[in-house]
Amino acid sequence: KKNSSSSVYYSSQNIDAITEEYMKKDKNKSKTWTRRFVEEVLMKKAWYFPGKDIIDGPQLSKAYAYYEHFTLVRHFNRDDEDQNSNTDARRSSLTGSVREYERSGPGELTKPTKLYSPFCAESSTLGEFGIGVATYFTKLRLLSLV
């Protein structure tokens, strides 16, 4: 594991152990709907997952945990802090106030993280990923109102 000012690098053994931990501790409400559907329905089907009976074979649950925690962009979850504070500064953008997110790194272990919501995040927050991403989700919001 090598730390720099903005990045953390993991060895393949570390990634494997971290992914295993996330696979076991992730609750259903923090998983994407596709991950829940695959784990609850499709993994039991031989046509979808032919290697399900192989001992020490590939694990779809582990692959989805890796995808959600290392590939998809996440932010630090401050919902617990917000419930304990007296301010309403963290309300959703749908209520008209600004919601600020602090982006986390891939595989963040020190604090709980949460996936970005393209419907609740401010356009300025989505602008961190490029002007095209911010424009796409702003347009998507506007078209969904029509």
Side-chain angles (χ1 to χ4, degrees):
K1 187 166 144 176
K2 176 183 170 189
N3 290 326
S4 69
S5 60
S6 63
S7 300
V8 176
Y9 299 98
Y10 297 102
S11 69
S12 60
Q13 292 84 10
N14 286 349
I15 289 176
D16 198 43
I18 292 167
T19 306
E20 186 86 29
E21 182 181 334
Y22 279 131
M23 181 182 78
K24 292 176 182 173
K25 79 173 190 174
D26 279 349
K27 295 176 177 61
N28 262 348
K29 69 177 185 172
S30 67
K31 297 177 184 180
T32 59
W33 69 269
T34 54
R35 180 177 173 191
R36 286 192 307 262
F37 183 69
V38 166
E39 289 178 350
E40 294 170 9
V41 178
L42 294 180
M43 278 181 44
K44 297 174 178 91
K45 309 289 185 191
W47 57 267
Y48 183 80
F49 186 36
K52 68 180 180 135
D53 297 327
I54 299 173
I55 298 171
D56 293 331
Q59 298 175 323
L60 281 179
S61 296
K62 195 172 186 179
Y64 263 99
Y66 177 85
Y67 175 68
E68 287 185 1
H69 288 277
F70 284 88
T71 305
L72 296 179
V73 182
R74 300 175 76 86
H75 64 89
F76 291 110
N77 185 4
R78 296 199 176 166
D79 291 341
D80 296 333
E81 294 174 18
D82 297 336
Q83 291 172 358
N84 296 332
S85 69
N86 293 329
T87 63
D88 290 333
R90 304 267 309 152
R91 286 181 289 165
S92 164
S93 63
L94 298 175
T95 62
S97 67
V98 176
R99 183 173 181 107
E100 296 177 17
Y101 294 105
E102 184 181 349
R103 190 173 173 179
S104 68
E108 178 64 46
L109 292 171
T110 58
K111 300 177 191 172
T113 61
K114 197 174 185 180
L115 291 168
Y116 276 91
S117 170
F119 298 106
C120 295
E122 289 289 324
S123 297
S124 60
T125 302
L126 296 173
E128 289 181 23
F129 308 109
I131 190 68
V133 173
T135 305
Y136 171 78
F137 284 109
T138 302
K139 189 175 185 179
L140 185 65
R141 284 183 201 155
L142 292 173
L143 290 175
S144 67
L145 294 174
V146 174

